[in-house]
Amino acid sequence: MSSTAAIELKNITKTFGSVVANNNICLTVNKGEILSILGENGSGKTTLMNMISGIYFPDHGQIFVDGKEAIIASPKDAFDYKIGMIHQHFKLVDVFSATENIILGSGKKGKYNLKKSAEEVKEISEKYGFDIDPFKKIYEMSVSEKQTVEIIKVLYRGADILILDEPTAVLTPQETEKLFSVLRRMKENGKAVIVITHKLHEVLEISDRVSVLRKGEYIGTVNTCDTTESELTEMMVGKKISLNIERSEPKDPVDRIVVKNVNYTTRDGVALLNNISFEARSGEILGIAGIAGSGQRELLETIAGLIHPSSGEILYNNPQTGEVDNLRDKTPLQIRELGVRLSFVPEDRLGMGLVGNMDIVDNMMLRSYSKGNTMFLERKEPRDLAKKIIDELEVVTPDANTPVRKLSGGNVQKVLVGREIASAPTVLMAAYPVRGLDINSSYLIYNLLNQQKENGVAVVFVGEDLDVLLELCDRIMVISSGNITGMVDARTVTKEEVGLLMTKSNRGEKDE
């Protein structure tokens, strides 16, 4: 590994009003190395990278590229210094091909020659081991193919310093391995690669060094070969944290929700769910694994009554009455009136789960507005609940009367998960409940889900980290393109087996 600095940050400070996002950060990334940046939510990782890539400009401090001071006031300036950032949310034109997206806005002089550009894209692909069709349209691509286009886009512009923000968040294990082999080739070619990630096992696998930020401060940099997951966690959080998920055996599991042959087709005729059948049992955690957009969201929304299936049955075994109710074609309100308490933590926290302009107390009251018998609403219970959630889940907020839109994404998630669990459900459906949360908060949520399971709740958990799914769940249902491709025992299946099921094309198959 070369010890020549590709980029060096000296005393970088950035504030937003009274909030100090980065305070006197000093950091060096060498040529021919992969550096991971770790930190809790709000630690300043993305802000720091946004200054390197020209999205923000530092209030104080200096940035040096190849030993010379650089003024990076825009993304164009960053490209001039051969710096490229691959964001978590892709910025591609769906109706354009891979090559058209790659050359779009590249600033190369002369007329565009699509055939010649495609050949250049192919050369870059072969050099680093990418697998991409230069003429394939973006809307026809998988998530990993889209990410490949984003990476080639910055390489095409001559980037020698690459920043990747949560690059494996939506990849299968096999796709992650492919990406890692590409990153290693870049490193061998002298590129400096910076990776922002929450996944500690991936940090240890791919990086040469790890730099840790905490609350906007630089904590330190360690060689990956000399550290462990627990040491890195302690650096991130400032205290020792147990990284064990205590998974108990299911006790007296009973089918609580039985889904039979459910299909859902949009008004445009697109089939998003195909013949889905499974059971969610009390006292167990059923995990749902799948590449983003495989139908996970539509499945949970169908059970919650938010969308209506085209066909099939959703049966609920009521523990209070002993009767079986068909939830199909019922509204969420009708489902609740039946005594069914489906707690739903959606992917879109502020769009579906909470009202941004309302404070935390009012968001606690959302479930109970319709129960009010007078013109005045009772606020004591919701206020007590809000304070309990703030204390127990360590929500960072001035007080319970703060509008939730002013909270960070991770703290919004805590408020939502806390409220749903507090409603004492018999079935708890959680879609990506730890998305955007730091490792400390994530394990807090995992333990809460385990407590619900031990209380006899049927927990349905949609997650994107396969390691967590294997450690937390009892069974895992794998869904691919709206089809169930496998139902496996989480205690015995391997990550690679689940990854293969996530990309399986056999329709309607169900492996026991």
Side-chain angles (χ1 to χ4, degrees):
M1 184 177 74
S2 168
S3 59
T4 308
I7 188 165
E8 192 175 358
L9 311 181
K10 290 187 177 179
N11 304 313
I12 294 293
T13 298
K14 182 66 179 177
T15 59
F16 298 94
S18 61
V19 178
V20 181
N22 293 127
N23 186 28
N24 284 326
I25 303 288
C26 296
L27 196 69
T28 301
V29 188
N30 295 317
K31 294 180 180 177
E33 83 162 347
I34 299 173
L35 177 78
S36 288
I37 306 285
L38 275 181
E40 294 185 277
N41 297 108
S43 62
K45 306 184 299 292
T46 304
T47 300
L48 190 65
M49 294 304 107
N50 281 339
M51 283 187 278
I52 296 174
S53 59
I55 296 171
Y56 294 149
F57 191 77
D59 298 332
H60 305 287
Q62 299 166 289
I63 299 175
F64 295 86
V65 177
D66 290 334
K68 297 175 183 176
E69 186 171 358
I71 306 300
I72 305 173
S74 69
K76 183 184 181 301
D77 290 343
F79 274 124
D80 290 343
Y81 286 108
K82 299 188 175 182
I83 299 168
M85 185 165 177
I86 296 91
H87 296 270
Q88 194 173 352
H89 301 290
F90 307 137
K91 303 177 190 313
L92 301 169
V93 181
D94 276 359
V95 295
F96 283 7
S97 68
T99 301
E100 287 168 333
N101 270 280
I102 288 163
I103 65 177
L104 186 65
S106 63
K108 292 200 174 182
K109 294 179 180 178
K111 287 186 178 180
Y112 285 123
N113 184 324
L114 200 58
K115 188 177 179 183
K116 185 181 177 185
S117 297
E119 288 172 2
E120 292 173 343
V121 168
K122 196 173 180 184
E123 282 176 25
I124 294 172
S125 301
E126 289 172 354
K127 182 176 182 179
Y128 294 105
F130 290 112
D131 183 16
I132 193 79
D133 177 356
F135 298 103
K136 193 172 184 179
K137 301 289 186 185
I138 299 300
Y139 65 81
E140 297 174 322
M141 293 184 178
S142 68
V143 175
S144 63
E145 287 176 311
K146 291 176 184 177
Q147 186 183 67
T148 296
V149 173
E150 287 282 21
I151 296 172
I152 295 176
K153 193 161 72 172
V154 298
L155 291 171
Y156 183 83
R157 287 160 171 74
D160 287 331
I161 300 165
L162 288 92
I163 305 164
L164 293 92
D165 189 4
E166 299 286 353
T168 65
V170 290
L171 302 185
T172 66
Q174 289 82 359
E175 290 167 342
T176 298
E177 277 305 315
K178 277 187 184 177
L179 174 64
F180 284 178
S181 66
V182 167
L183 295 183
R184 290 185 186 105
R185 288 196 191 188
M186 289 182 185
K187 166 186 159 181
E188 289 166 7
N189 201 49
K191 306 285 186 190
V193 181
I194 305 171
V195 179
I196 304 173
T197 181
H198 278 110
K199 300 179 181 180
L200 292 177
H201 59 281
E202 291 182 356
V203 168
L204 296 174
E205 182 182 345
I206 189 63
S207 59
D208 299 296
R209 295 186 302 141
V210 187
S211 294
V212 180
L213 303 183
R214 189 198 311 149
K215 295 179 181 177
E217 305 275 352
Y218 171 70
I219 301 302
T221 299
V222 294
N223 292 324
T224 310
C225 59
D226 298 329
T227 191
T228 63
E229 285 193 19
S230 57
E231 286 175 3
L232 290 174
T233 304
E234 191 173 343
M235 286 178 73
M236 285 167 58
V237 181
K239 59 185 177 183
K240 286 188 180 293
I241 286 179
S242 171
L243 296 180
N244 294 320
I245 299 174
E246 299 293 335
R247 174 172 54 191
S248 58
E249 290 290 334
K251 291 180 182 176
D252 305 319
V254 175
D255 289 351
R256 187 64 65 224
I257 292 279
V258 179
V259 176
K260 290 184 177 180
N261 305 316
V262 163
N263 292 276
Y264 173 63
T265 304
T266 66
R267 290 179 180 177
D268 301 327
V270 180
L272 297 179
L273 297 175
N274 299 300
N275 237 18
I276 299 290
S277 298
F278 69 96
E279 306 81 30
R281 299 167 184 158
S282 62
E284 78 161 10
I285 299 179
L286 172 67
I288 298 182
I291 297 167
S294 294
Q296 303 95 312
R297 176 175 178 159
E298 289 78 13
L299 177 57
L300 296 201
E301 289 182 8
T302 300
I303 298 171
L306 298 172
I307 59 176
H308 299 303
S310 312
S311 61
E313 292 181 304
I314 303 167
L315 305 178
Y316 171 71
N317 293 310
N318 195 316
Q320 275 78 38
T321 65
E323 295 179 358
V324 177
D325 297 301
N326 191 352
L327 306 185
R328 190 189 160 191
D329 296 329
K330 287 184 170 59
T331 65
L333 184 59
Q334 289 171 327
I335 290 172
R336 287 208 303 274
E337 286 173 348
L338 277 172
V340 181
R341 289 166 290 177
L342 294 177
S343 292
F344 184 58
V345 182
E347 295 173 71
D348 184 2
R349 296 177 290 225
L350 283 179
M352 287 178 62
L354 300 169
V355 178
N357 287 329
M358 290 168 62
D359 64 27
I360 300 173
V361 175
D362 282 346
N363 272 284
M364 295 300 115
M365 296 170 67
L366 281 178
R367 280 190 172 276
S368 56
Y369 272 136
S370 61
K371 296 177 185 175
N373 297 319
T374 69
M375 63 182 292
F376 300 105
L377 290 168
E378 176 57 53
R379 297 179 65 87
K380 185 180 184 307
E381 274 189 39
R383 186 177 298 282
D384 291 343
L385 176 58
K387 288 179 179 176
K388 183 182 178 186
I389 289 171
I390 289 168
D391 291 340
E392 290 185 1
L393 299 188
E394 300 172 6
V395 178
V396 180
T397 177
D399 54 48
N401 299 114
T402 302
V404 294
R405 64 180 166 76
K406 291 189 175 181
L407 304 181
S408 71
N411 286 303
V412 168
Q413 191 78 321
K414 289 180 189 179
V415 171
L416 179 56
V417 173
R419 187 194 69 189
E420 298 306 303
I421 288 175
S423 69
T426 54
V427 177
L428 173 66
M429 297 194 300
Y432 310 109
V434 299
R435 178 179 278 171
L437 292 185
D438 54 66
I439 193 161
N440 187 22
S441 301
S442 296
Y443 275 81
L444 201 64
I445 299 299
Y446 301 147
N447 290 330
L448 283 174
L449 294 178
N450 260 324
Q451 286 172 22
Q452 295 300 300
K453 165 188 166 179
E454 289 170 10
N455 290 340
V457 175
V459 180
V460 180
F461 173 78
V462 181
E464 46 199 6
D465 189 329
L466 288 187
D467 291 282
V468 170
L469 280 164
L470 293 177
E471 198 176 341
L472 176 69
C473 301
D474 299 292
R475 292 181 299 145
I476 297 174
M477 182 174 81
V478 187
I479 189 167
S480 175
S481 302
N483 300 276
I484 294 178
T485 55
M487 181 71 79
V488 295
D489 185 336
R491 290 171 172 78
T492 57
V493 75
T494 66
K495 189 165 69 169
E496 289 69 30
E497 287 168 342
V498 175
L500 287 171
L501 289 171
M502 286 166 68
T503 55
K504 198 172 180 180
S505 59
N506 293 26
R507 297 189 173 271
E509 280 194 15
K510 186 174 177 179
D511 302 339
E512 294 293 344

